[in-house]
Amino acid sequence: MRIGVIASVAHRSPPYNYGPWEQIASTLAEGFVARGHDVTLFATGDSETSAQLVAAVPSGYEETPGADAKVFEALHNSTAFAHASEFDVFSNHFDFMPLTYSRLVSTPVVTTVHGFSSPEIVPVYRQFGDIAHYIAISDADRHPDLRYADTIHHGIDVTRFTFRPEPGEYLLFLGRIHPDKGTHLAIEVARRAGLPLIIAGVIQDSEYFRTMVEPQTTGTDVDYVGAVDPAQRDILLGGARALLHLIGFAEPFGLSVIESMATGTPVIATPLGSMPEILRHGVTGYLVPDVEAAVEAVAKVGRLDRSACRADVDEHFTADRMTDAYLTVFERIANSQARSTGATTTAPQPRSIGSPGLFSHAGM
Amino acid sequence: MRIGVIASVAHRSPPYNYGPWEQIASTLAEGFVARGHDVTLFATGDSETSAQLVAAVPSGYEETPGADAKVFEALHNSTAFAHASEFDVFSNHFDFMPLTYSRLVSTPVVTTVHGFSSPEIVPVYRQFGDIAHYIAISDADRHPDLRYADTIHHGIDVTRFTFRPEPGEYLLFLGRIHPDKGTHLAIEVARRAGLPLIIAGVIQDSEYFRTMVEPQTTGTDVDYVGAVDPAQRDILLGGARALLHLIGFAEPFGLSVIESMATGTPVIATPLGSMPEILRHGVTGYLVPDVEAAVEAVAKVGRLDRSACRADVDEHFTADRMTDAYLTVFERIANSQARSTGATTTAPQPRSIGSPGLFSHAGM
């Protein structure tokens, strides 16, 4: 198939440090290329890919001083859609804006909903519900108003994560430093469990970091090591006793959770959002309702079989499994498109213009 | 012609108070309808128009608590472009985002550049330069990198402004309260000239208002009266000795300047941006380099012939003149489009997809 992958241009693909949307776009592009497809990755100019790279902006707007995010997004999306006729399918990983171009081209746009940044954006997904193909990244993240083509859990390139059979001597927090991610809860659990804590990740809420995290790192066994690249992540995750993932929100997916499991390190997590779909309580970690239960889980987590963690990733969360699941969806859509146009050609077809405005009326 | 007018959805059309983009979109829609064209106005649901109204959002995002501007813009623009095949031309008054859809439809998009909000947005205008039709609102606002279809000064419905032959006893500031607009300079000039000052307009920079404007209104002849609707504007403008328009930036156009002239009130302005194109020094007001010169101008402005101000508006700045100028551009573009497709039909034509990404290269 001829596949156009639309990455986010907040960061480069794959991300230097943080950037789960860009990571998944990149992983999928590599997977599609490896299976012999004709793949174009629309991403920042500093991206690295085995696909054909088309870049309308030099670098990520989060990584370019003075960049106007709206302008970067506009240049990027409109460039991708100018190439629409060259593809059998678009794989969209850049939120709702690409949808707004989708009615004007015949190429189906398969949009991976990487979570709803706010309830305010749901009306856009609804407006394009008649022609869109949505992929949820967990069943927990499915919105009741939307029809989905499939739920496909994220996958990782397991060759990049080293399995370590022995549990380590510290606990790990890995993720954005933000109240939602429970950095402060990880500190409390580590303190009460009497184990050192390493904190790694980009600071997303600097006030929270300054008041709730940084003061706890002075003269204690709590260390903040900053943002970490994939190689550092592998080392930090593999060396830990457990990953503390005490989120306070319904997280659509937890990429760091499956990365941790790939190194053999079990995860102690709040049972919110996608966590019950990813973790097996008592096997690959513990789902805990509060700090008290998390401290109890730390006491026994070292006795879990670390190979069971890796085995779950090998079975359910590989890039290969994710890639195949996406391709199955793409092929189903392409076939149904071909049937409905009575042709197997992929040339652009005029599309009917769909529903008018929501508040339409005539005259004054 | 079948004309789709794309208004801004920051405010309703026409605006309750502030909203020059919405005002011009509204004035043009009325003008096109009055000349017998088939006109659709894409605007907020609370808009009022003689055209067909299509609204994807209920009200302006600046006027709707909790509104997400990006979502409102996305719903609005994509709805307009879903209707593209119904129009011979789009008249775009909503900045650069509509451009990004323009390559995917055959309907020409005539974009009025209501000023460049930042140099960061110029790359988008450049990316669509090959197919876009830009209208500058003053020669001063033309960007050297862009090709324009025409410069068309704004026009107003002069029947809405009452000519007053006698000069009033106060000075007036009318516009956004923002350092760029020189509210603080107007206060200084009025104080030194010994005349009362009325300040009207939305507060755009509240810190500036709090520190530089509000303190000057206590126990002085300076009054801030808030945002004003069109009827109040007519009264305030007509009753003034002069409008003080001491801008500190190259303003693309000054709608309040021609509104003032329509009531007969001359304008004292900095000679920046479009001002020398709008004002005739010594006839309809004074172009002054600094506060000193502005104070001198106040002393003599009452002796100017107020009917000359109105006459300039009647000759150069009416809605009729603006409407006709836009229609001339639309007809030229429609004719050239018909010639280039060898047809007079306005049915959608496939459009070539244009230039690839700016930073395109292959492989890794």
Side-chain angles (χ1 to χ4, degrees):
Chain A
M1 299 183 97
R2 301 169 307 162
I3 305 170
V5 177
I6 303 175
S8 158
V9 290
H11 306 278
R12 80 122 184 206
S13 295
Y16 293 113
N17 297 301
Y18 176 74
W21 299 10
E22 294 84 353
Q23 181 62 60
I24 295 304
S26 173
T27 301
L28 283 171
E30 296 303 314
F32 300 150
V33 169
R35 279 153 185 73
H37 295 284
D38 179 0
V39 185
T40 298
L41 177 65
F42 294 94
T44 62
D46 60 346
S47 293
E48 290 195 357
T49 180
S50 307
Q52 172 91 9
L53 176 67
V54 174
V57 298
S59 46
Y61 58 74
E62 294 285 5
E63 298 165 353
T64 308
D68 182 321
K70 184 177 172 182
V71 166
F72 272 44
E73 199 172 350
L75 292 170
H76 173 65
N77 288 331
S78 63
T79 297
F81 278 87
H83 288 270
S85 64
E86 301 166 23
F87 303 109
D88 301 311
V89 66
F90 271 126
S91 179
N92 167 31
H93 298 270
F94 197 21
D95 218 25
F96 65 83
M97 282 304 294
L99 283 173
T100 69
Y101 301 85
S102 63
R103 213 178 283 286
L104 307 176
V105 300
S106 60
T107 308
V109 179
V110 179
T111 294
T112 302
V113 184
H114 286 268
F116 297 95
S117 53
S118 113
E120 299 297 322
I121 72 174
V122 175
V124 186
Y125 288 95
R126 231 186 262 121
Q127 178 168 305
F128 290 89
D130 59 324
I131 58 158
H133 308 278
Y134 296 131
I135 291 180
I137 63 174
S138 62
D139 286 334
D141 198 52
R142 284 187 176 225
H143 192 284
D145 289 0
L146 304 182
R147 195 174 37 87
Y148 289 84
D150 205 352
T151 293
I152 304 180
H153 286 145
H154 288 340
I156 54 177
D157 177 355
V158 289
T159 64
R160 299 194 163 207
F161 294 90
T162 316
F163 175 68
R164 315 267 194 108
E166 295 304 320
E169 295 306 316
Y170 61 88
L171 299 170
L172 178 67
F173 172 94
L174 176 60
R176 298 175 284 120
I177 313 298
H178 188 282
D180 278 353
K181 289 284 197 170
T183 324
H184 61 298
L185 298 177
I187 293 169
E188 189 182 344
V189 168
R191 189 175 49 70
R192 288 175 51 179
L195 280 177
L197 176 71
I198 296 177
I199 298 172
V202 295
I203 296 168
Q204 194 176 53
D205 183 332
S206 54
E207 178 65 11
Y208 172 68
F209 177 76
R210 203 178 55 74
T211 58
M212 301 286 283
V213 178
E214 201 173 26
Q216 310 291 330
T217 63
T218 312
T220 67
D221 253 358
V222 178
D223 275 318
Y224 174 63
V225 299
V228 286
D229 68 19
Q232 294 168 308
R233 267 211 301 277
D234 179 38
I235 294 166
L236 281 175
L237 287 165
R241 172 85 54 97
L243 178 73
L244 295 180
H245 201 72
L246 304 171
I247 50 175
F249 75 119
E251 191 172 46
F253 197 87
L255 210 44
S256 61
V257 171
I258 59 172
E259 290 176 347
S260 183
M261 288 160 61
T263 69
T265 297
V267 181
I268 297 170
T270 328
L272 291 175
S274 57
M275 288 307 118
E277 295 176 46
I278 304 178
L279 276 184
R280 287 197 290 150
H281 184 74
V283 179
T284 60
Y286 294 99
L287 295 167
V288 296
D290 53 29
V291 165
E292 189 69 34
V295 173
E296 287 167 21
V298 170
K300 56 190 174 180
V301 74
R303 295 195 293 274
L304 291 179
D305 176 9
R306 292 175 60 95
S307 63
C309 295
R310 174 70 178 215
D312 263 20
V313 174
D314 287 337
E315 189 170 349
H316 300 296
F317 302 113
T318 63
D320 282 343
R321 191 262 329 147
M322 172 175 71
T323 303
D324 290 336
Y326 272 84
L327 288 170
T328 300
V329 170
F330 295 169
E331 275 152 18
R332 191 173 74 224
I333 289 165
N335 287 340
S336 114
Q337 182 109 339
R339 270 200 310 279
S340 72
T341 61
T344 53
T345 170
T346 53
Q349 303 290 333
R351 192 183 271 290
S352 72
I353 61 152
S355 56
L358 308 179
F359 301 92
S360 150
H361 66 84
M364 176 154 71
Chain B
M1 298 183 96
R2 301 170 306 162
I3 305 171
V5 177
I6 303 174
S8 158
V9 290
H11 307 279
R12 80 124 184 203
S13 295
Y16 294 112
N17 297 302
Y18 176 74
W21 299 10
E22 294 84 355
Q23 181 61 62
I24 295 304
S26 173
T27 302
L28 283 171
E30 296 303 315
F32 299 150
V33 169
R35 280 155 184 73
H37 295 284
D38 179 1
V39 185
T40 297
L41 178 65
F42 294 93
T44 61
D46 59 346
S47 293
E48 290 195 356
T49 181
S50 308
Q52 172 91 8
L53 177 65
V54 175
V57 299
S59 47
Y61 57 74
E62 294 285 5
E63 298 165 355
T64 309
D68 182 321
K70 185 177 172 182
V71 166
F72 273 43
E73 198 172 351
L75 291 170
H76 173 65
N77 287 331
S78 63
T79 297
F81 278 87
H83 288 269
S85 64
E86 301 166 22
F87 303 109
D88 301 311
V89 66
F90 271 127
S91 179
N92 166 31
H93 299 271
F94 198 20
D95 217 29
F96 65 83
M97 281 305 293
L99 284 173
T100 69
Y101 301 84
S102 63
R103 212 179 283 286
L104 307 176
V105 300
S106 60
T107 308
V109 179
V110 179
T111 295
T112 302
V113 184
H114 285 269
F116 297 94
S117 53
S118 113
E120 300 298 322
I121 72 174
V122 176
V124 185
Y125 288 96
R126 231 186 262 121
Q127 178 170 305
F128 290 89
D130 59 325
I131 59 158
H133 308 278
Y134 296 130
I135 291 181
I137 63 173
S138 63
D139 286 335
D141 199 52
R142 284 187 176 227
H143 192 284
D145 289 0
L146 304 181
R147 195 173 38 85
Y148 289 85
D150 205 352
T151 293
I152 304 180
H153 285 146
H154 287 341
I156 54 177
D157 177 355
V158 289
T159 65
R160 299 195 163 206
F161 294 90
T162 317
F163 175 69
R164 315 268 193 108
E166 295 304 319
E169 296 305 318
Y170 62 87
L171 300 171
L172 179 65
F173 172 94
L174 177 59
R176 298 175 284 121
I177 314 297
H178 187 281
D180 278 354
K181 289 283 197 171
T183 324
H184 61 297
L185 299 176
I187 293 170
E188 189 181 345
V189 168
R191 190 176 48 72
R192 288 176 53 180
L195 280 176
L197 176 70
I198 295 177
I199 298 172
V202 295
I203 296 169
Q204 194 175 55
D205 183 333
S206 53
E207 177 66 11
Y208 172 68
F209 177 75
R210 203 178 55 74
T211 58
M212 301 285 284
V213 178
E214 201 172 27
Q216 310 291 329
T217 63
T218 312
T220 68
D221 255 356
V222 178
D223 276 319
Y224 173 63
V225 298
V228 286
D229 68 20
Q232 295 167 309
R233 267 211 302 275
D234 180 37
I235 294 167
L236 281 175
L237 286 165
R241 174 84 55 96
L243 178 73
L244 295 180
H245 201 72
L246 304 172
I247 50 174
F249 75 117
E251 192 173 44
F253 197 86
L255 211 44
S256 62
V257 171
I258 60 171
E259 290 177 348
S260 184
M261 288 162 59
T263 69
T265 297
V267 182
I268 297 170
T270 327
L272 291 174
S274 57
M275 289 305 119
E277 295 175 48
I278 304 178
L279 277 183
R280 286 197 291 149
H281 184 75
V283 179
T284 59
Y286 294 99
L287 296 166
V288 296
D290 52 29
V291 165
E292 189 68 34
V295 174
E296 287 168 20
V298 170
K300 56 189 174 181
V301 74
R303 297 196 293 273
L304 291 179
D305 177 8
R306 291 175 61 95
S307 63
C309 294
R310 174 70 178 214
D312 263 21
V313 174
D314 287 338
E315 190 169 350
H316 299 299
F317 302 113
T318 62
D320 283 343
R321 191 262 329 148
M322 173 175 72
T323 303
D324 290 336
Y326 272 85
L327 288 170
T328 301
V329 170
F330 296 169
E331 276 151 18
R332 191 172 75 224
I333 289 165
N335 288 338
S336 115
Q337 183 109 341
R339 270 201 309 279
S340 73
T341 61
T344 54
T345 171
T346 54
Q349 303 291 333
R351 193 182 269 292
S352 72
I353 62 151
S355 56
L358 309 179
F359 302 91
S360 149
H361 66 82
M364 174 155 74

